[in-house]
């Protein structure tokens, strides 16, 4: 699908883009009609100029002069009307196509596996969805239709010139092949240069996005000067890429301007000699040909400029279609609606790896009964959090099966399955919006009263009500206006109001204050009651009352049982984990 670097034009890609204009066929046809009329009017004005000189000015006929000036004024008004209509509707069509394409791209990315986002820079994806797609609009507003209009105008002018004087036309065409060759060479150079420009733009966006997001780390570790130097280098590369395009433009337009002047000189020289010799050529025809030559070369210069816009749009379109052609979506062929699930879960010989040659989950078997609360514990990298991703089908397992209520996970409709599972992540993400919208995620059917009642049930209403504007308090980007404990409480409430059949808690109480921890413990007890719950435990003291504790090591389940059972195993993995953490917490308290 990708076009080859340096190719002047990719017709397959262009044809694919044109498919997006089909819903706007009437507008497309009107713009094409306006382009034809502009070509016609472009020929009429020089003809009127010739008649004005030969039939009015040379014979000194004032009445004829007024008549021809009136006709020229009418032609000018018609040209303005068609030009206005052409530019407006060409731009309108471009924006409609861009809107549709951006919606399609965003919907496509929303269905990607988490693995795709793990491997893709956010800044690059933002560049594709925003600036690259906006650049595609120039294909229609400044590229495609403008080029077609100019080509029609040039064709009409050449035909008309041959009809009026084939000798003067041949003089004009002496330099024409040179200009066409220079234009073709210019287009190829610019295509390759624009590839570099778009790459550097993506690099800039990625770098800036990551550094702004991680500004706290940059400042804490005193990395400002280092990051400034790196940014200076990336920015310099971006500047140099643009300067290269300016250099090619400077050479090309100066060269074409010189050839245009040479052509006008040849017309005056040859036409003047013919006129002095009292041959058929008139003064009006000579001046008309000077005007026609300028009109012929002007679109050619503009075509090269507009071809720049077209090629930048094509480069951007190629990048966007690369994402649209990426098949990274979770297979969703399930027909069973996951409603009113009991919550029986069975992992049967499940194997999984984020990379094909590195397994993270190594053939686990795990049964969770409906309404049961189980805790999964283990060292970092043991595979605990991966269970969350597999249960919600954010990643596809490599082997084995996962059953919910004795039905294979893949047989459930994906949306209904995920609606039945609520997850409270360790790293809470809040949008730059109100607390209410962060809780409901704009889901229809959840009223403010229901949210407030749920907040009271799990003990967080008082905290939210104390904020300015209460539930309508804007938490800003990533919830920056709230503490980590407050963000965690909001995530608990978000999970609770969705009324899930299965709840997963990636517990995170190690970095919050005692008061918030007490509220979270209360919230945990409330939202896990009566539903299947999986707790990814980081502090073992919080999961003593779990119905079952699952201990994982290196992607395998090594122990299962209740706290009082596992703690009795002298050489057990759970006992070692518990004692190590208890000793660490005791030392911290003594200090």
């Amino acid at each position: 699908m990708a076009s080859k670097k340096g190719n002047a034009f990719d017709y397959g890609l262009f044809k694919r883009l044109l498919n997006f204009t089909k819903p706007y066929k009437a507008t497309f046809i009107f713009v094409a009609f306006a382009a034809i009329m502009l070509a016609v009017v472009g020929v009429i004005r020089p003809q009127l100029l010739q008649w004005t000189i030969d039939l009015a000015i040379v014979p000194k006929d004032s009445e004829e002069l007024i008549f021809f000036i009136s006709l020229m004024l009418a032609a000018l008004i018609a040209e303005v009307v068609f030009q206005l209509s052409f530019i407006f509707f060409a731009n309108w069509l471009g924006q409609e196509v861009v809107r549709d394409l951006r919606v399609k791209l965003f919907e496509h990315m929303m269905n990607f596996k988490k693995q795709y986002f793990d491997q893709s820079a956010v800044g690059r994806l933002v560049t594709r969805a925003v600036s690259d797609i906006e650049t595609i609009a120039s294909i229609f507003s400044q590229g495609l239709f403008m080029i077609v209009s100019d080509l029609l105008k040039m064709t009409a002018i050449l035909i008309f010139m041959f009809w009026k004087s084939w000798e003067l036309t041949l003089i004009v065409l002496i330099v024409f092949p040179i200009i066409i060759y220079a234009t073709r060479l210019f287009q190829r150079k610019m295509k390759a240069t624009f590839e570099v420009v778009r790459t550097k733009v993506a690099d800039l966006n990625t770098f800036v996005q990551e550094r702004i997001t991680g500004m706290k780390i940059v400042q804490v570790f005193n990395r400002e000067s280092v990051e400034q130097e790196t940014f200076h280098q990336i920015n310099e590369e971006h500047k140099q890429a643009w300067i290269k395009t300016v250099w090619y433009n400077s050479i090309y337009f100066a060269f074409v301007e010189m050839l245009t002047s040479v052509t006008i000189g040849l017309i005056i020289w040859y036409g003047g000699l013919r006129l002095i010799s009292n041959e058929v050529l008139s003064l009006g025809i000579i001046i008309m040909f000077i005007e026609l030559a300028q009109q012929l070369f002007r679109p050619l210069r503009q075509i090269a400029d507009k071809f720049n816009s077209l090629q930048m749009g094509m480069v951007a379109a190629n990048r966007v279609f690369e994402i649209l052609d990426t098949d990274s979506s979770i297979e969703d062929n399930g027909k069973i609606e996951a409603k009113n699930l009991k919550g029986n879960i069975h992992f049967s010989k499940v194997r999984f790896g984020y990379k094909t040659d590195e397994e993270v989950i190594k053939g686990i078997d795990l049964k969770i009964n409906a309404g049961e609360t189980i805790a999964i514990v283990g060292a970092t990298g043991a595979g605990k959090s991966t269970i969350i991703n597999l249960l919600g089908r954010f990643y596809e397992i490599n082997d084995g099966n996962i059953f919910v209520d004795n039905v294979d996970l893949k047989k459930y409709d994906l949306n209904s399955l995920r609606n039945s599972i609520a997850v409270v992540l360790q790293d809470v993400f809040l949008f730059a919006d109100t607390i209410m919208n962060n809780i409901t995620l704009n889901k229809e059917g959840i009223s403010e009263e229901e949210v407030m009642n749920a907040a009271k049930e799990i003990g967080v209403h008082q905290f939210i009500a104390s904020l300015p504007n209460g539930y309508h308090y804007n938490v800003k980007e990533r919830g920056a206006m709230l503490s980590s404990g407050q963000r965690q409480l909001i995530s608990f409430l978000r999970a609770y109001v969705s009324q899930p059949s299965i709840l997963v808690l990636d517990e995170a109480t190690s970095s919050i204050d005692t008061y918030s921890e007490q509220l979270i413990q209360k919230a945990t007890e409330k939202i896990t009651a009566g539903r299947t719950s999986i707790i990814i435990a980081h502090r073992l003291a919080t999961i003593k009352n779990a119905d079952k504790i699952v201990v994982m090591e290196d992607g395998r389940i090594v122990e299962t049982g209740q706290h009082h059972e596992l703690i009795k195993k002298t050489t057990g993995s759970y006992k070692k984990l518990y004692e190590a953490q208890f000793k660490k917490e005791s030392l911290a308290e003594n200090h």
Side-chain angles (χ1 to χ4, degrees):
M1 180 65 247
S3 59
K4 293 179 182 178
K5 196 171 183 179
N7 281 357
F9 199 70
D10 187 331
Y11 291 98
L13 184 64
F14 182 67
K15 184 178 179 181
R16 188 172 178 183
L17 264 177
L18 282 182
N19 287 332
F20 284 87
T21 66
K22 287 181 179 179
Y24 313 104
K25 189 176 180 180
T27 304
F28 189 94
I29 292 172
F30 177 77
V31 172
F33 170 74
I36 294 170
M37 294 309 298
L38 283 172
V40 173
V41 174
V43 171
I44 289 175
R45 285 199 301 108
Q47 177 63 80
L48 290 173
L49 178 63
Q50 183 220 328
W51 286 339
T52 302
I53 294 170
D54 290 342
L55 302 178
I57 294 176
V58 173
K60 299 181 180 179
D61 188 333
S62 58
E63 289 185 7
E64 285 291 304
L65 181 62
I66 293 171
F67 173 71
F68 283 119
I69 287 175
S70 299
L71 290 179
M72 290 176 73
L73 181 62
L76 181 62
I77 291 171
E79 187 172 19
V80 168
V81 170
F82 284 120
Q83 189 75 36
L84 177 65
S85 302
F86 176 78
I87 292 173
F88 176 79
F89 285 106
N91 278 274
W92 181 88
L93 181 62
Q95 289 303 318
E96 291 292 323
V97 169
V98 161
R99 181 198 61 190
D100 295 347
L101 190 56
R102 184 177 283 126
V103 168
K104 185 173 182 178
L105 178 66
F106 187 73
E107 288 178 349
H108 189 65
M109 289 196 300
M110 290 284 282
N111 293 316
F112 278 165
K113 302 173 187 175
K114 284 181 67 177
Q115 194 167 7
Y116 179 86
F117 297 104
D118 294 341
Q119 299 169 353
S120 302
V122 175
R124 289 184 181 275
L125 294 178
V126 171
T127 301
R128 301 294 177 266
V130 181
S131 62
D132 275 345
I133 285 191
E134 196 59 44
T135 304
I136 293 173
S138 64
I139 292 177
F140 300 95
S141 61
Q142 301 171 32
L144 167 66
F145 291 117
M146 291 291 186
I147 290 174
V148 170
S149 175
D150 287 343
L151 287 174
L152 285 172
K153 188 180 292 185
M154 291 168 64
T155 302
I157 288 172
L158 278 172
I159 293 171
F160 182 74
M161 288 171 74
F162 268 110
W163 178 57
K164 298 298 288 187
S165 173
W166 65 268
E167 299 105 316
L168 289 178
T169 304
L170 289 178
I171 288 174
V172 172
L173 291 180
I174 288 173
V175 299
F176 209 65
I178 302 172
I179 294 178
I180 291 175
Y181 175 76
T183 302
R184 185 70 173 171
L185 187 64
F186 174 71
Q187 290 165 358
R188 290 183 181 277
K189 294 291 185 183
M190 291 301 288
K191 174 68 184 298
T193 306
F194 283 139
E195 287 276 6
V196 178
V197 168
R198 296 312 304 170
T199 299
K200 297 306 176 185
V201 168
D203 290 345
L204 267 177
N205 285 344
T206 300
F207 185 87
V208 172
Q209 187 271 333
E210 286 182 346
R211 269 56 185 184
I212 291 176
T213 303
M215 187 57 69
K216 184 176 180 181
I217 298 298
V218 172
Q219 293 178 344
V220 165
F221 287 93
N222 195 29
R223 297 280 298 174
E224 292 92 336
S225 59
V226 176
E227 298 299 343
Q228 285 172 8
E229 181 60 33
T230 306
F231 178 77
H232 174 76
Q233 182 179 346
I234 296 173
N235 200 31
E236 178 66 23
E237 291 173 357
H238 176 256
K239 183 199 75 174
Q240 291 299 332
W242 269 112
I243 286 177
K244 199 169 184 180
T245 69
V246 173
W247 170 246
Y248 286 138
N249 274 290
S250 302
I251 294 175
Y252 173 77
F253 288 112
F255 180 71
V256 173
E257 194 64 39
M258 180 193 71
L259 289 179
T260 304
S261 299
V262 168
T263 304
I264 292 171
L266 289 173
I267 291 172
I268 294 172
W269 169 72
Y270 181 79
L273 288 177
R274 294 286 301 276
L275 185 62
I276 292 170
S277 302
N278 293 321
E279 294 192 31
V280 185
L281 234 52
S282 67
L283 179 62
I285 288 179
I286 294 172
I287 293 176
M288 180 185 70
F289 260 80
I290 292 172
E291 175 69 19
L292 287 170
Q294 290 176 326
Q295 284 197 31
L296 184 66
F297 291 142
R298 191 183 304 124
L300 194 59
R301 293 196 300 269
Q302 291 173 351
I303 281 176
D305 195 28
K306 288 159 190 172
F307 210 93
N308 293 346
S309 299
L310 178 62
Q311 286 186 322
M312 284 198 76
M314 294 293 283
V315 169
N318 189 56
R319 294 175 184 274
V320 169
F321 283 129
E322 278 180 358
I323 297 179
L324 285 173
D325 292 337
T326 300
D327 184 16
S328 186
S329 300
I330 294 290
E331 186 180 299
D332 185 17
N333 298 322
K335 304 297 181 184
I336 301 174
E337 290 292 317
K339 292 183 178 179
N340 303 315
L341 296 178
K342 294 178 181 178
N344 289 297
I345 301 170
H346 180 202
F347 283 73
S348 176
K349 299 179 180 178
V350 172
R351 292 184 174 276
F352 170 76
Y354 295 102
K355 297 180 180 179
T356 53
D357 56 342
E358 296 179 16
E359 276 194 339
V360 177
I361 300 296
K362 302 175 181 179
I364 66 169
D365 283 281
L366 174 63
K367 288 186 178 180
I368 306 169
N369 298 320
E372 196 173 44
T373 296
I374 75 154
I376 303 177
V377 302
T380 302
K384 305 185 299 297
S385 296
T386 302
I387 299 295
I388 302 172
N389 294 323
L390 300 183
L391 185 60
R393 287 198 69 204
F394 297 108
Y395 295 85
E396 294 282 25
I397 59 177
N398 297 344
D399 196 14
N401 299 91
I402 303 175
F403 301 94
V404 174
D405 289 356
N406 299 316
V407 177
D408 193 302
L409 219 57
K410 293 181 180 179
K411 293 183 179 180
Y412 285 112
D413 172 74
L414 190 59
N415 287 329
S416 68
L417 174 68
R418 289 178 179 173
N419 281 334
S420 298
I421 303 172
V423 181
V424 179
L425 294 170
Q426 180 181 358
D427 182 18
V428 179
F429 187 94
L430 297 182
F431 295 94
D433 205 337
T434 64
I435 286 180
M436 175 62 67
N437 289 339
N438 268 292
I439 293 168
T440 64
L441 296 176
N442 296 307
K443 186 177 180 179
E444 294 181 3
I446 303 178
S447 67
E448 185 170 344
E449 184 180 359
E450 287 176 310
V451 173
M452 292 176 68
N453 289 335
K456 290 174 183 176
E457 287 180 30
I458 66 172
V460 299
H461 172 71
Q462 187 176 355
F463 135 64
I464 297 175
S466 67
L467 296 170
N469 298 323
Y471 286 83
H472 298 283
Y473 177 67
N474 194 309
V475 301
K476 304 301 180 185
E477 189 174 3
R478 293 178 175 267
M481 303 304 291
L482 302 177
S483 68
S484 58
Q486 290 171 330
R487 290 196 295 270
Q488 193 69 276
L489 289 168
I490 295 297
S491 70
F492 269 79
L493 187 53
R494 177 193 286 169
Y496 188 53
V497 298
S498 68
Q499 294 298 309
S501 299
I502 299 169
L503 180 69
V504 181
L505 302 180
D506 194 349
E507 187 188 58
T509 57
S510 57
S511 59
I512 61 177
D513 58 88
T514 304
Y515 176 69
S516 295
E517 182 176 354
Q518 291 172 351
L519 287 176
I520 288 174
Q521 289 301 324
K522 180 182 177 182
T524 301
E525 292 172 7
K526 182 67 180 178
I527 68 175
T528 57
R531 59 169 55 91
T532 303
S533 303
I534 302 172
I535 301 175
I536 309 298
H538 300 277
R539 297 183 68 178
L540 304 186
T542 64
I543 47 96
K544 290 180 180 178
N545 297 324
D547 296 313
K548 183 165 58 179
I549 298 172
V550 176
V551 185
M552 293 190 68
E553 283 184 7
D554 191 29
R556 296 182 175 87
I557 295 175
V558 294
E559 288 180 343
T560 58
Q562 292 185 319
H563 172 74
H564 68 273
E565 296 171 342
L566 297 176
I567 204 71
K568 293 177 181 177
K569 295 184 178 181
T570 310
T571 58
S573 298
Y574 179 78
K575 184 177 177 66
K576 290 177 183 177
L577 282 170
Y578 188 80
E579 288 179 346
Q581 192 171 101
F582 181 75
K583 187 182 294 184
K584 184 178 178 182
E585 290 174 1
S586 298
L587 287 171
E589 289 174 5
N590 292 332
H591 284 288

